[in-house]
Amino acid sequence: MESVKEILTPLNASDIEQLEVGDGIKLSGNILTGRDAALPSLVKLIEKHESPVDLEGAVIFHTAVSPAGIAPTSSNKTEIETSIAPLSEAGVRMHIGKGALSPVTVKALQENKSVFVVTPPVAALLTSKMTSSRVVAFPEEGMEALHSLNVINFPGIVAVAHGKSIY
């Protein structure tokens, strides 16, 4: 593993090309959040060409946003993992969460030039990296709404890149 790579959002092709499994990253800029409720709803809107947000070069963190903070949820839950391929096709370049992904999802990430990053499930640490939050879609879902967060030096480790997995 090389030194920690500092990455700004939105991401471009060279940001993804430089990442390898095991690389540490510090991410700064705007990221989206979503999990079991919001991500399948976002995929349905994308299929209708009605996305409420620009997904080109986007980062999606698999979490809810609550007064207790933010922390990753398991990305291999059916509702989340089945959203990864279509969201990558729509332009999402980085998915952040926790847990091993299936070989089918690893292949879809490779085909769409996207990566999966794991981050520690430490709400106090991750919340301290967040400078702002606003709901951008699905407000009826409460803390599981689609949020846009601004983060500074958000930590992670590349778990899936270019068809390889840390798991």
XYZ file of all heavy atoms in Angstrom, residues 69-129:
437
model
N -25.146 10.550 13.949
C -23.995 10.598 13.057
C -24.164 9.706 11.843
O -25.268 9.273 11.512
N -23.027 9.447 11.191
C -23.000 8.617 9.991
C -22.008 7.480 10.203
O -20.972 7.672 10.828
C -22.617 9.437 8.736
C -21.280 10.159 8.925
C -23.729 10.419 8.377
C -20.748 10.885 7.710
N -22.357 6.314 9.697
C -21.474 5.147 9.746
C -21.942 4.193 8.651
O -23.115 4.196 8.289
C -21.529 4.466 11.115
N -21.027 3.391 8.100
C -21.410 2.535 6.976
C -22.373 1.430 7.378
O -22.305 0.888 8.474
C -20.072 1.939 6.523
C -19.232 1.934 7.761
C -19.632 3.186 8.505
N -23.267 1.125 6.461
C -24.110 -0.048 6.613
C -23.539 -1.127 5.691
O -22.670 -0.850 4.863
C -25.584 0.261 6.278
O -26.393 -0.827 6.724
C -25.789 0.488 4.795
N -24.015 -2.338 5.835
C -23.530 -3.446 5.018
C -23.947 -3.254 3.570
O -25.135 -3.213 3.255
C -24.065 -4.779 5.539
O -23.578 -4.993 6.845
N -22.966 -3.163 2.703
C -23.222 -2.921 1.286
C -23.707 -4.158 0.561
O -24.208 -4.056 -0.559
C -21.952 -2.395 0.623
O -21.572 -1.183 1.226
N -23.576 -5.325 1.184
C -24.012 -6.556 0.520
C -25.465 -6.916 0.839
O -25.924 -7.980 0.461
C -23.064 -7.713 0.821
C -22.836 -7.929 2.298
O -23.530 -7.370 3.144
N -21.838 -8.727 2.622
N -26.202 -6.010 1.487
C -27.639 -6.222 1.633
C -28.255 -6.125 0.238
O -27.856 -5.288 -0.574
C -28.259 -5.172 2.555
C -27.852 -5.343 4.001
C -28.656 -4.453 4.919
C -28.098 -3.063 4.931
N -28.792 -2.179 5.883
N -29.231 -6.961 -0.051
C -29.800 -7.056 -1.393
C -30.194 -5.701 -1.968
O -29.850 -5.375 -3.105
C -31.023 -8.001 -1.391
O -30.594 -9.280 -0.943
C -31.643 -8.106 -2.767
N -30.892 -4.865 -1.194
C -31.377 -3.583 -1.702
C -30.230 -2.662 -2.102
O -30.372 -1.851 -3.011
C -32.243 -2.863 -0.655
C -33.484 -3.599 -0.249
C -33.248 -4.667 0.825
O -32.101 -4.857 1.275
O -34.224 -5.303 1.205
N -29.120 -2.776 -1.408
C -27.974 -1.919 -1.712
C -27.133 -2.530 -2.825
O -26.819 -1.869 -3.818
C -27.135 -1.670 -0.445
C -27.961 -0.892 0.582
C -25.841 -0.919 -0.793
C -27.295 -0.708 1.927
N -26.747 -3.794 -2.672
C -25.847 -4.396 -3.660
C -26.464 -4.419 -5.059
O -25.764 -4.177 -6.040
C -25.406 -5.794 -3.247
C -24.336 -6.323 -4.174
C -23.524 -7.481 -3.636
O -23.726 -7.904 -2.482
O -22.659 -7.968 -4.384
N -27.767 -4.654 -5.175
C -28.380 -4.672 -6.502
C -28.455 -3.280 -7.123
O -28.695 -3.155 -8.325
C -29.782 -5.308 -6.477
O -30.605 -4.583 -5.558
C -29.715 -6.778 -6.095
N -28.223 -2.231 -6.336
C -28.222 -0.872 -6.888
C -26.836 -0.461 -7.397
O -26.718 0.494 -8.168
C -28.687 0.138 -5.832
O -27.691 0.345 -4.845
N -25.787 -1.167 -7.002
C -24.423 -0.749 -7.326
C -24.162 -0.747 -8.834
O -23.628 0.229 -9.366
C -23.397 -1.599 -6.551
C -23.480 -1.259 -5.055
C -21.980 -1.376 -7.086
C -22.613 -2.123 -4.141
N -24.532 -1.805 -9.535
C -24.278 -1.853 -10.987
C -25.027 -0.758 -11.737
O -24.413 -0.011 -12.507
C -24.606 -3.234 -11.544
N -26.348 -0.603 -11.552
C -27.025 0.454 -12.304
C -26.556 1.861 -11.929
O -26.507 2.749 -12.787
C -28.507 0.251 -11.996
C -28.596 -0.708 -10.880
C -27.300 -1.442 -10.811
N -26.198 2.080 -10.674
C -25.691 3.396 -10.289
C -24.318 3.656 -10.919
O -24.027 4.776 -11.344
C -25.620 3.526 -8.763
C -26.979 3.605 -8.067
C -26.814 3.504 -6.558
C -27.721 4.877 -8.453
N -23.498 2.613 -11.005
C -22.202 2.753 -11.671
C -22.393 3.050 -13.157
O -21.696 3.898 -13.715
C -21.360 1.491 -11.480
O -21.047 1.309 -10.111
N -23.336 2.361 -13.777
C -23.647 2.637 -15.187
C -24.081 4.081 -15.382
O -23.805 4.680 -16.421
C -24.768 1.723 -15.675
C -24.348 0.324 -16.000
C -25.520 -0.507 -16.504
O -26.322 0.018 -17.315
O -25.635 -1.660 -16.070
N -24.740 4.654 -14.377
C -25.247 6.027 -14.460
C -24.179 7.069 -14.138
O -24.459 8.255 -14.203
C -26.442 6.196 -13.527
N -22.968 6.621 -13.773
C -21.888 7.576 -13.547
C -21.256 7.578 -12.179
O -20.245 8.254 -11.965
N -21.831 6.849 -11.211
C -21.217 6.789 -9.874
C -19.880 6.070 -9.999
O -19.816 4.967 -10.532
C -22.144 6.084 -8.859
C -21.450 5.907 -7.520
C -23.443 6.861 -8.698
N -18.821 6.676 -9.531
C -17.476 6.108 -9.665
C -16.965 5.475 -8.383
O -16.016 4.699 -8.419
C -16.474 7.172 -10.139
C -16.757 7.689 -11.512
C -16.540 6.596 -12.574
N -17.399 6.836 -13.719
C -18.345 6.023 -14.140
N -18.585 4.886 -13.556
N -19.085 6.328 -15.184
N -17.581 5.811 -7.247
C -17.121 5.223 -5.982
C -18.326 4.959 -5.086
O -19.179 5.824 -4.900
C -16.147 6.168 -5.273
C -15.572 5.617 -3.977
S -14.409 6.790 -3.183
C -13.025 6.707 -4.330
N -18.359 3.745 -4.541
C -19.355 3.334 -3.561
C -18.594 3.083 -2.269
O -17.541 2.436 -2.289
C -20.068 2.057 -4.012
C -20.712 2.188 -5.360
N -22.033 2.526 -5.517
C -20.202 2.046 -6.615
C -22.317 2.570 -6.807
N -21.228 2.285 -7.497
N -19.118 3.569 -1.152
C -18.445 3.415 0.141
C -19.387 2.703 1.094
O -20.555 3.081 1.225
C -18.053 4.785 0.736
C -17.168 5.574 -0.233
C -17.356 4.598 2.083
C -16.885 6.998 0.212
N -18.883 1.690 1.774
C -19.692 0.965 2.743
C -18.848 -0.009 3.523
O -17.707 0.284 3.865
N -19.417 -1.189 3.764
C -18.657 -2.249 4.430
C -19.176 -3.590 3.959
O -20.306 -3.705 3.500
C -18.740 -2.115 5.949
C -20.107 -2.386 6.537
C -20.090 -2.270 8.054
C -21.464 -2.644 8.607
N -21.523 -2.555 10.055
N -18.319 -4.608 4.051
C -18.706 -5.965 3.704
C -18.241 -6.392 2.324
O -17.975 -5.564 1.455
N -18.152 -7.690 2.148
C -17.726 -8.265 0.870
C -18.853 -8.179 -0.151
O -20.016 -8.365 0.187
C -17.317 -9.720 1.076
N -18.485 -7.905 -1.395
C -19.448 -7.871 -2.488
C -19.334 -9.145 -3.313
O -18.279 -9.771 -3.362
C -19.195 -6.652 -3.381
C -19.299 -5.293 -2.696
C -18.962 -4.177 -3.681
C -20.686 -5.085 -2.100
N -20.410 -9.505 -3.985
C -20.424 -10.726 -4.795
C -19.521 -10.575 -6.013
O -19.243 -9.458 -6.464
C -21.850 -11.021 -5.263
O -22.219 -10.083 -6.274
N -19.061 -11.704 -6.584
C -18.265 -11.644 -7.820
C -18.989 -10.920 -8.960
O -18.358 -10.238 -9.756
C -18.016 -13.120 -8.152
C -18.080 -13.817 -6.830
C -19.140 -13.076 -6.052
N -20.308 -11.052 -9.021
C -21.081 -10.369 -10.061
C -20.957 -8.850 -9.903
O -20.768 -8.118 -10.881
C -22.568 -10.813 -10.015
C -23.436 -9.945 -10.904
C -22.693 -12.275 -10.394
N -21.023 -8.369 -8.669
C -20.910 -6.933 -8.419
C -19.483 -6.460 -8.663
O -19.273 -5.372 -9.220
C -21.372 -6.600 -6.991
O -22.728 -7.048 -6.833
C -21.309 -5.105 -6.723
N -18.487 -7.257 -8.286
C -17.087 -6.906 -8.551
C -16.876 -6.729 -10.056
O -16.239 -5.765 -10.497
C -16.125 -7.975 -7.965
C -14.693 -7.755 -8.438
C -16.194 -7.974 -6.445
N -17.445 -7.633 -10.842
C -17.323 -7.545 -12.307
C -18.037 -6.299 -12.835
O -17.521 -5.596 -13.711
C -17.889 -8.805 -12.964
C -17.724 -8.804 -14.468
C -18.222 -10.091 -15.086
C -17.987 -10.025 -16.592
N -18.647 -11.073 -17.308
N -19.219 -6.000 -12.306
C -19.962 -4.811 -12.747
C -19.193 -3.534 -12.428
O -19.168 -2.599 -13.235
C -21.347 -4.780 -12.097
N -18.550 -3.492 -11.280
C -17.719 -2.327 -10.937
C -16.594 -2.171 -11.950
O -16.321 -1.069 -12.428
C -17.160 -2.464 -9.519
C -18.159 -2.249 -8.381
C -17.592 -2.751 -7.069
C -18.551 -0.779 -8.283
N -15.946 -3.278 -12.285
C -14.852 -3.238 -13.264
C -15.358 -2.744 -14.615
O -14.749 -1.862 -15.235
C -14.220 -4.618 -13.404
C -13.088 -4.654 -14.420
C -12.511 -6.050 -14.598
O -13.126 -7.044 -14.240
N -11.315 -6.116 -15.144
N -16.458 -3.299 -15.079
C -17.007 -2.930 -16.387
C -17.389 -1.455 -16.466
O -17.306 -0.839 -17.516
C -18.229 -3.793 -16.706
C -17.883 -5.233 -16.994
C -19.094 -6.136 -17.100
O -20.245 -5.688 -16.833
O -18.888 -7.323 -17.440
N -17.801 -0.890 -15.329
C -18.249 0.502 -15.296
C -17.193 1.473 -14.775
O -17.500 2.635 -14.527
C -19.534 0.611 -14.473
C -20.688 -0.065 -15.158
O -21.127 0.365 -16.203
N -21.155 -1.162 -14.578
N -15.958 0.963 -14.593
C -14.841 1.792 -14.127
C -15.183 2.511 -12.821
O -15.007 3.713 -12.674
C -14.421 2.775 -15.217
C -13.883 2.070 -16.451
C -13.476 3.043 -17.524
C -12.836 2.411 -18.719
N -13.427 1.280 -19.306
N -15.697 1.718 -11.880
C -16.044 2.194 -10.549
C -15.295 1.366 -9.517
O -14.789 0.286 -9.831
C -17.553 2.064 -10.310
O -18.279 2.850 -11.224
N -15.234 1.868 -8.286
C -14.562 1.153 -7.208
C -15.464 1.106 -5.982
O -16.423 1.866 -5.860
C -13.203 1.810 -6.828
C -12.223 1.744 -7.986
C -13.387 3.232 -6.336
N -15.113 0.187 -5.082
C -15.786 0.062 -3.787
C -14.752 0.300 -2.702
O -13.657 -0.277 -2.736
C -16.404 -1.333 -3.642
C -17.052 -1.584 -2.311
C -18.142 -0.838 -1.895
C -16.580 -2.583 -1.473
C -18.742 -1.063 -0.667
C -17.174 -2.833 -0.246
C -18.261 -2.072 0.153
N -15.100 1.163 -1.771
C -14.215 1.546 -0.680
C -14.893 1.181 0.637
O -16.097 1.397 0.798
C -13.929 3.070 -0.737
C -13.223 3.560 0.509
C -13.128 3.403 -1.992
N -14.129 0.625 1.566
C -14.651 0.375 2.904
C -14.142 1.464 3.830
O -13.063 2.028 3.619
C -14.274 -1.027 3.434
C -14.978 -2.109 2.632
C -12.775 -1.260 3.447
N -14.932 1.750 4.831
C -14.552 2.770 5.806
C -14.877 2.231 7.186
O -15.771 1.398 7.335
C -15.278 4.106 5.501
O -14.677 5.153 6.250
C -16.749 4.028 5.795
N -14.156 2.678 8.202
C -14.379 2.122 9.536
C -15.768 2.475 10.062
O -16.234 3.599 9.857
C -13.285 2.773 10.391
C -12.897 4.002 9.651
C -13.123 3.710 8.206
N -16.420 1.530 10.745
C -17.748 1.802 11.298
C -17.661 2.579 12.612
O -18.109 2.138 13.658
C -18.347 0.408 11.473
C -17.159 -0.461 11.726
C -16.035 0.129 10.917
N -17.066 3.753 12.536
C -16.852 4.588 13.718
C -17.565 5.916 13.484
O -17.014 6.836 12.869
C -15.342 4.816 13.975
C -15.127 5.615 15.248
C -14.598 3.481 14.032
N -18.804 6.017 13.967
C -19.634 7.185 13.680
C -18.981 8.493 14.115
O -19.042 9.487 13.387
C -21.005 7.031 14.340
N -18.344 8.528 15.274
C -17.737 9.780 15.745
C -16.659 10.265 14.785
O -16.587 11.451 14.450
C -17.168 9.601 17.145
N -15.806 9.353 14.303
C -14.751 9.723 13.361
C -15.342 10.221 12.049
O -14.986 11.293 11.553
C -13.835 8.525 13.085
C -12.859 8.700 11.910
C -11.819 9.764 12.235
C -12.206 7.390 11.554
N -16.251 9.462 11.460
C -16.803 9.823 10.157
C -17.630 11.101 10.236
O -17.536 11.957 9.355
C -17.623 8.671 9.594
C -16.833 7.378 9.363
C -17.751 6.282 8.850
C -15.658 7.590 8.438
N -18.412 11.250 11.285
C -19.225 12.450 11.448
C -18.348 13.686 11.589
O -18.700 14.758 11.091
C -20.171 12.285 12.650
O -20.955 11.098 12.443
C -21.094 13.484 12.795
N -17.185 13.540 12.201
C -16.281 14.689 12.364
C -15.712 15.161 11.030
O -15.222 16.285 10.926
C -15.135 14.342 13.325
O -14.173 13.498 12.699
N -15.799 14.340 9.992
C -15.297 14.698 8.657
C -16.368 15.394 7.816
O -16.095 15.860 6.718
C -14.803 13.453 7.909
C -13.733 12.673 8.664
C -12.519 13.526 8.938
C -11.444 12.731 9.657
N -10.313 13.563 10.020
